[in-house]
Amino acid sequence: MIAETGHFALVLALAVAIVQASVPLAGARRGKMAWMAVAGPATILQFLFIAISFAALTHGYITSDFSLMNVASNSHTEKPLLYKIAGVWGNHEGSLLLWVTILALFGMAVTMFGRNLPPGLKARALAVQAMISIGFLLFLLLTSNPFVRVDPPPFDGNGLNPMLQDPGLALHPPMLYLGYVGFSMAFSFAIAALLEGRVDAAWARWVRPWTLAAWVLLTGGIVLGSWWAYYTLGWGGWWYWDPVENASFMPWLVGTALLHSAIVVEKRDALKSWTILLAIITFGFSLLGTFLVRSGVLTSVHAFATDPARGVFILLLLVVAVGGSLALYAARAPSMKLGGLFSPLSREGSLLFNNVLMSTGAATVLLGTLYPLISDAFDLGKISVGPPFFNSVFLPLMVPMVLVMALAPMMSWKRGDLGGVLGRLKIVAVISVLVAAATWQLQGGSAGPWWSAAGLGLAAWLGLGTLADLADRIRLFQAPVQAPFRAFALPRSTWGMMVAHFGLAVFIVGLTASSAWTTEKVQTQKIGETISIAGYQVTLKGIEQVPGPNYIARRGTFEIARNGTVIAEMYPEKRAYRNPPRPITTAAIRSGITGDLYVVIGDPDGKEGGEAGYVTRLYFNPCIPWLWAGGLLLMLGGLISLADRRHRIGAPARASRSSAA
């Protein structure tokens, strides 16, 4: 009965979404406030019905209701409770239900927190949001119903993919979807602005917080996913340019460009058409990622569905949503006023330059991701596009972007003084060159990769340039006594920008060092044997069988010493899950500020007695914790900016009477 209630709630949510998509839109066109006011209660009601449906499916997983085909296919009685709950979205139907739940949540959030929005814009935006909901609810009900019964029900379920039974994967999809779906609000505001025929600074102030929230959440989802891949997959890497990884990275790139472009609209009333286009493309990439994961065209641990009928449905949804919005854009964008003019050497010009580079980078990733599929579809032969292509094409595009990131915040609006900015950064430039030269020398010149010196020099340029911008804003060296007061008075959005930019510099350090100087040793190691790596002595002390809740693990005990002194013990595992039967490697990692010692235990070599050994893989990944620290700083910068009053309600804080006096 609970499952049928969840199914019926989805049907009711679809009916509410149809009303929300039509009545407020007609009211905005005719100027009828009562019709426009329908949008608010409709968003709340739609979220309520979808939440009931999501709760019903979750109840089925918690209680192991194997009469539901979805539960029987993706759960098992032996699974820990956390992974039973995570199993709700660890499959195609459940993840799609999570998607529409988050979609309804964002619509309700606009109703609750967007009271200062103009009624016409708000009604149109919520109507567009409801149109997206209609498409996904139809997709759920017609092709991906999570409440299909199986008769007779099996005694037990098939279980969840063991690779997904991990705390990181329990949190990664919801956060990723919050980012994906969050960009739908920027899309809805963009389409509403096109329908209304007005894009101005006020519109940019309304759309920026929703875009910023989605960007922070998507950043968190990507960071969590790369961290999971690093410690779970057992190969010491954190990014492999997997097509589904790329599907989350592309909207992040274009969403970052959208954030910066909206700043220009707000401050200078320029780049309005470009900003609308970025909002459309960003959500288009989110839909493309949904298509790739669910169409069956990709084989990946991230992919859910393999049914071509589902792929055709969501491809049709993608074509209608993106094609229709681009057609509307083509019809309405030429009528928009150009807004403020600016010199190429200005803050606007710098932001536009970086916008173009990030958009080009996203197009490059798109080409590399889809080209093998296109080649296969047209019988041009099977090809593989992997890390060498992306590293050689995408990364060089990002170098000029990072160079400009240190300059742009110090440039003036409308017309900047490039010579003056470079003069203020001359010490930063000298230190950056010295960092690059020292890196080149310490790695033995051409004995190491040349780009490692360039990478650390680039990180120094951005990080020190950000600090120089802060010092300039608070006049640290001109009036040091008043500097703390000026720092306290800086807007939170400015602090957020600087924290995020500094976080990217930290990330570049981790990316460069871990890519250039990782040490790896793979061998058959006997019990009692010691292997040296990066100044550590790693001794295999023993192997034992350890039972888990739904697996049996072969656990290795490794003693870690440095300069003859024991400093730690590490316990990697090789797990054999029962349902479904599958082996999984779990690495042991010892993190420090200089890098990670990464230990993996493999299979026995088949010998017996004192000659028996086990395949072990040892890595030392220098500065890789800097990657996660950089990602967290990016998120922190976004959250600080989101806390700015102007982003939340579109107005600065009122001055107190005493300060006014």
Side-chain angles (χ1 to χ4, degrees):
M1 185 63 185
I2 293 178
E4 283 68 30
T5 301
H7 187 196
F8 185 58
L10 280 181
V11 176
L12 292 178
L14 175 62
V16 173
I18 293 172
V19 173
Q20 181 184 331
S22 54
V23 176
L25 199 60
R29 184 176 180 84
R30 299 185 182 186
K32 294 189 175 183
M33 293 296 297
W35 291 16
M36 287 189 281
V38 169
T43 60
I44 297 172
L45 199 58
Q46 184 190 158
F47 174 75
L48 177 63
F49 285 137
I50 295 177
I52 290 172
S53 181
F54 189 82
L57 184 61
T58 304
H59 176 270
Y61 272 86
I62 292 174
T63 59
S64 295
D65 181 3
F66 297 122
S67 67
L68 288 175
M69 183 180 294
N70 185 268
V71 178
S73 301
N74 300 284
S75 190
H76 194 277
T77 51
E78 289 185 350
K79 272 197 333 182
L81 179 61
L82 173 63
Y83 303 132
K84 285 185 178 181
I85 297 173
V88 176
W89 53 79
N91 60 88
H92 168 72
E93 294 84 1
S95 67
L96 202 59
L97 182 56
L98 176 64
W99 178 286
V100 296
T101 304
I102 295 172
L103 195 65
L105 176 65
F106 270 93
M108 186 177 69
V110 170
T111 296
M112 298 179 68
F113 300 108
R115 296 186 179 93
N116 59 326
L117 288 169
L121 178 66
K122 184 176 179 180
R124 290 183 174 96
L126 291 177
V128 174
Q129 192 80 352
M131 293 177 190
I132 302 170
S133 292
I134 290 171
F136 278 95
L137 285 169
L138 285 173
F139 186 26
L140 257 176
L141 292 169
L142 298 180
T143 72
S144 310
N145 183 5
F147 298 105
V148 173
R149 293 283 191 179
V150 56
D151 187 28
F155 178 75
D156 219 331
N158 294 332
L160 180 67
N161 184 343
M163 296 186 72
L164 305 181
Q165 295 185 41
D166 181 87
L169 258 291
L171 299 175
H172 163 63
M175 189 167 286
L176 201 65
Y177 288 176
L178 282 165
Y180 271 155
V181 182
F183 283 125
S184 68
M185 280 317 312
F187 172 82
S188 297
F189 275 114
I191 300 303
L194 289 174
L195 292 172
E196 196 171 42
R198 188 179 70 180
V199 178
D200 52 20
W203 174 86
R205 280 195 298 272
W206 292 319
V207 79
R208 274 184 70 194
W210 301 104
T211 306
L212 187 57
W215 181 87
V216 169
L217 292 164
L218 184 58
T219 303
I222 293 172
V223 170
L224 266 176
S226 64
W227 178 63
W228 165 80
Y230 173 65
Y231 75 80
T232 298
L233 298 184
W235 56 282
W238 54 277
W239 190 266
Y240 195 67
W241 295 104
D242 179 278
V244 184
E245 291 175 339
N246 296 347
S248 64
F249 189 44
M250 289 184 287
W252 186 89
L253 283 170
V254 187
T256 306
L258 171 62
L259 266 180
H260 291 80
S261 182
I263 296 173
V264 180
V265 178
E266 180 182 352
K267 302 292 185 183
R268 294 283 301 137
D269 198 33
L271 302 183
K272 291 185 285 190
S273 294
W274 173 248
T275 304
I276 292 288
L277 181 61
L278 285 177
I280 294 171
I281 293 175
T282 301
F283 185 59
F285 273 130
S286 295
L287 291 177
L288 177 64
T290 306
F291 166 71
L292 291 176
V293 173
R294 291 167 173 80
S295 61
V297 300
L298 295 178
T299 301
S300 167
V301 67
H302 306 82
F304 287 121
T306 56
D307 182 1
R310 293 172 174 176
V312 170
F313 192 105
I314 203 165
L315 180 61
L316 179 63
L317 182 62
L318 175 66
V319 170
V320 170
V322 179
S325 57
L326 289 176
L328 179 63
Y329 173 80
R332 295 293 181 91
S335 63
M336 293 183 186
K337 295 181 180 179
L338 292 177
L341 300 177
F342 55 87
S343 165
L345 295 177
S346 62
R347 189 178 298 187
E348 300 98 314
S350 302
L351 292 172
L352 179 59
F353 177 75
N354 277 3
N355 264 223
V356 172
L357 287 177
M358 281 185 280
S359 301
T360 305
T364 300
V365 176
L366 177 65
L367 175 64
T369 303
L370 295 185
Y371 189 77
L373 305 178
I374 296 170
S375 176
D376 188 33
F378 287 95
D379 259 346
L380 301 177
K382 290 188 178 293
I383 63 170
S384 176
V385 177
F389 167 80
F390 292 105
N391 292 339
S392 60
V393 177
F394 173 79
L395 293 180
L397 286 172
M398 298 298 103
V399 172
M401 185 197 76
V402 175
L403 289 173
V404 172
M405 281 179 67
L407 299 172
M410 304 180 78
M411 299 283 280
S412 301
W413 294 106
K414 192 173 181 180
R415 185 179 298 276
D417 178 13
L418 181 60
V421 172
L422 291 174
R424 282 179 280 173
L425 290 175
K426 59 186 177 184
I427 296 177
V428 171
V430 170
I431 296 175
S432 301
V433 171
L434 291 176
V435 168
T439 302
W440 178 262
Q441 184 67 30
L442 289 172
Q443 73 173 6
S446 58
W450 65 268
W451 47 262
S452 59
L456 291 191
L458 197 66
W461 166 258
L462 178 57
L464 295 175
T466 302
L467 295 178
D469 178 37
L470 173 62
D472 189 60
R473 289 174 187 268
I474 65 176
R475 299 181 64 191
L476 179 62
F477 302 110
Q478 293 85 3
V481 176
Q482 287 81 29
F485 301 100
R486 291 193 179 91
F488 184 76
L490 283 177
R492 292 179 185 175
S493 57
T494 301
W495 276 109
M497 173 200 70
M498 290 187 289
V499 169
H501 285 191
F502 192 81
L504 182 59
V506 172
F507 179 87
I508 293 172
V509 172
L511 169 66
T512 303
S514 63
S515 301
W517 304 310
T518 290
T519 306
E520 174 185 356
K521 286 193 174 182
V522 181
Q523 60 279 310
T524 299
Q525 191 172 357
K526 300 175 184 177
I527 294 177
E529 185 178 355
T530 300
I531 304 295
S532 295
I533 181 171
Y536 292 96
Q537 295 82 49
V538 182
T539 304
L540 176 58
K541 302 296 289 185
I543 301 290
E544 60 180 330
Q545 296 289 330
V546 179
N550 56 343
Y551 61 82
I552 295 293
R554 180 191 301 120
R555 176 183 293 174
T557 300
F558 288 81
E559 185 179 82
I560 312 302
R562 191 156 198 169
N563 299 323
T565 302
V566 176
I567 57 175
E569 284 191 344
M570 300 176 67
Y571 306 97
E573 294 181 355
K574 184 70 176 285
R575 296 177 178 176
Y577 281 81
R578 290 189 289 271
N579 293 290
R582 189 172 301 177
I584 295 294
T585 298
T586 302
I589 303 171
R590 186 175 189 273
S591 291
I593 192 170
T594 59
D596 282 0
L597 180 62
Y598 187 103
V599 181
V600 178
I601 184 77
D603 295 323
D605 61 2
K607 297 181 181 179
E608 297 181 358
E611 296 297 319
Y614 293 84
V615 176
T616 61
R617 296 199 302 276
L618 311 178
Y619 301 86
F620 182 74
N621 298 318
C623 294
I624 204 163
W626 293 49
L627 288 167
W628 324 130
L632 292 175
L633 284 173
L634 283 168
M635 293 178 64
L636 178 61
L639 291 173
I640 293 172
S641 293
L642 199 58
D644 194 309
R645 178 183 173 89
R646 294 171 301 175
H647 289 178
R648 287 183 284 113
I649 65 173
R654 294 180 179 179
S656 63
R657 293 187 179 183
S658 58
S659 61

